[in-house]
Amino acid sequence: MRDEWLSREHDELRDGLSRFLDVDEGLREVREQAGGHEDVVRGLGLVLDVEGGLADILRHPEEALNSATAGSGSSNALEPRWMSEADVAEALRALPAERRLVARKDPLIAACVVGELLVRALVLVGDLPRGAGDAHGERYAELARDFARARNFNLDAAPTLEVRAVLALTSVFARAFVHDLGRAVLRRDRAMEFAATVEEAARSGNPGRVQGLDRDVRPLADEVALEAARRLDLPTTEGLVTALLDGALDDFTEADLTGVNPNDPGLTGIQWSEGTRWPPGTDIEALRKRSAETAPYSRVYVLGRRPGGTSRAGTGVPV
């Protein structure tokens, strides 16, 4: 039944994504950055924690979320400690470069972000019947910008607010949430139910079908965020998504990347500078051509992001 549902919704997923992504351009960029297959495999081997990855895959799919929701008496439970958003961001930036590279590729981290975006989008859908004012339009544009930032693609112009468009974007978030949970080898039953409800609302153009759904999605998004915080050695989930969207895992301007393949497509979106150390023989000029300078004469570049894109500004992160 699930396979049939996913197959039936594939075309709509593609159409929905095409409203916000230039798929052909994205594929071209991946092919351009990937270089040869063997180089990519070697590069991935250098930055991935293979042993840790196998351990995660071999775990029972329910284990991560079960441990994330364990009671306070559980030895696996986080010990909450107050941290400001700036502290969270600083803690993420302080992780070793290898840990940050692995985290940037972790589908659980991606699910943490898109789960929060899905909740925010559902809240916005619930607010629309009260009137589509400028504040709603800015919230919608910010959701689109944040998704572009999280998925490393350019958004040349803010989208125009309309109910069907908001429902379509919410549907994209729901499908992405299902996809990321599957890649993270976590149960996605509830996420698939939510996605089906949002799909029906998007098809009918009726926001009333998802009224209050954000309250149902919130616990699952929080569970995923809790597991993400644990993987990132954080004692709290507060401010985590904001820090991730603001690029706390992306700053490699002074990092040692001599053991990384510069053509690894997983590096798309990282910030680098003249202080970044690349493998001997790396064509730095070629890297510049594949990057966008964050500001004129800043000498800080975003790999794989061309001029004209829109990013969400973040504290301490040049954009």
Side-chain angles (χ1 to χ4, degrees):
M1 175 70 74
R2 294 173 188 166
D3 290 341
E4 292 177 1
W5 179 82
L6 287 173
S7 177
R8 186 172 62 252
E9 299 301 327
H10 178 267
D11 289 340
E12 290 192 22
L13 171 60
R14 181 190 59 203
D15 294 340
L17 287 173
S18 67
R19 300 185 63 175
F20 303 95
L21 300 89
D22 184 344
V23 178
D24 291 336
E25 180 64 19
L27 288 173
R28 184 201 65 77
E29 184 172 289
V30 169
R31 287 195 298 269
E32 180 181 272
Q33 292 188 29
H37 173 72
E38 293 182 358
D39 287 340
V40 174
V41 172
R42 283 195 296 269
L44 290 174
L46 289 170
V47 300
L48 288 177
D49 178 0
V50 178
E51 296 297 329
L54 286 174
D56 278 344
I57 291 171
L58 292 174
R59 286 193 306 178
H60 191 281
E62 298 182 29
E63 182 179 330
L65 289 186
N66 286 343
S67 65
T69 55
S72 58
S74 169
S75 61
N76 290 327
L78 285 177
E79 297 181 4
R81 177 165 60 87
W82 184 86
M83 293 179 73
S84 69
E85 289 188 0
D87 291 334
V88 170
E90 191 60 33
L92 292 179
R93 292 190 180 93
L95 291 173
E98 295 79 6
R99 287 282 307 278
R100 283 183 286 132
L101 288 171
V102 171
R104 292 180 83 254
K105 297 180 180 183
D106 188 339
L108 190 282
I109 305 301
C112 168
V113 173
V114 79
E116 180 64 29
L117 295 182
L118 174 58
V119 172
R120 284 169 47 193
L122 288 168
V123 172
L124 174 58
V125 170
D127 290 343
L128 287 179
R130 304 190 186 103
D134 291 341
H136 291 343
E138 178 52 37
R139 287 164 63 190
Y140 174 49
E142 184 176 39
L143 281 169
R145 288 195 297 266
D146 282 349
F147 190 60
R149 179 73 177 88
R151 298 305 202 201
N152 290 310
F153 66 87
N154 290 327
L155 185 67
D156 294 327
T160 302
L161 178 68
E162 58 178 19
V163 173
R164 285 190 176 276
V166 177
L167 286 171
L169 183 60
T170 305
S171 177
V172 169
F173 292 166
R175 293 166 183 170
F177 195 37
V178 171
H179 175 70
D180 291 341
L181 289 178
R183 290 181 58 228
V185 200
L186 299 177
R187 289 193 60 176
R188 52 184 184 176
D189 307 50
R190 285 181 290 167
M192 291 181 70
E193 293 174 6
F194 301 144
T197 301
V198 176
E199 287 296 323
E200 179 58 31
R203 280 195 295 268
S204 64
N206 181 6
R209 292 182 179 274
V210 294
Q211 286 291 326
L213 188 60
D214 59 284
R215 293 190 293 272
D216 296 325
V217 177
R218 168 55 71 189
L220 178 57
D222 287 347
E223 290 170 9
V224 174
L226 194 62
E227 176 63 16
R230 179 177 291 105
R231 293 188 185 187
L232 294 168
D233 297 332
L234 294 174
T236 180
T237 62
E238 293 295 326
L240 172 57
V241 172
T242 298
L244 292 171
L245 287 170
D246 285 350
L249 292 178
D250 299 337
D251 187 355
F252 293 85
T253 52
E254 298 295 332
D256 182 355
L257 299 182
T258 53
V260 174
N261 181 356
N263 293 317
D264 181 353
L267 297 179
T268 297
I270 71 164
Q271 295 180 3
W272 63 280
S273 71
E274 294 181 354
T276 305
R277 295 176 293 287
W278 297 97
T282 298
D283 189 339
I284 302 300
E285 190 57 36
L287 284 179
R288 286 197 183 95
K289 290 179 179 178
R290 289 165 42 200
S291 306
E293 197 168 13
T294 57
Y297 310 111
S298 69
R299 297 180 182 272
V300 175
Y301 306 89
V302 179
L303 185 61
R305 183 162 297 169
R306 292 170 300 283
T310 303
S311 297
R312 184 178 190 274
T315 303
V317 180
V319 294

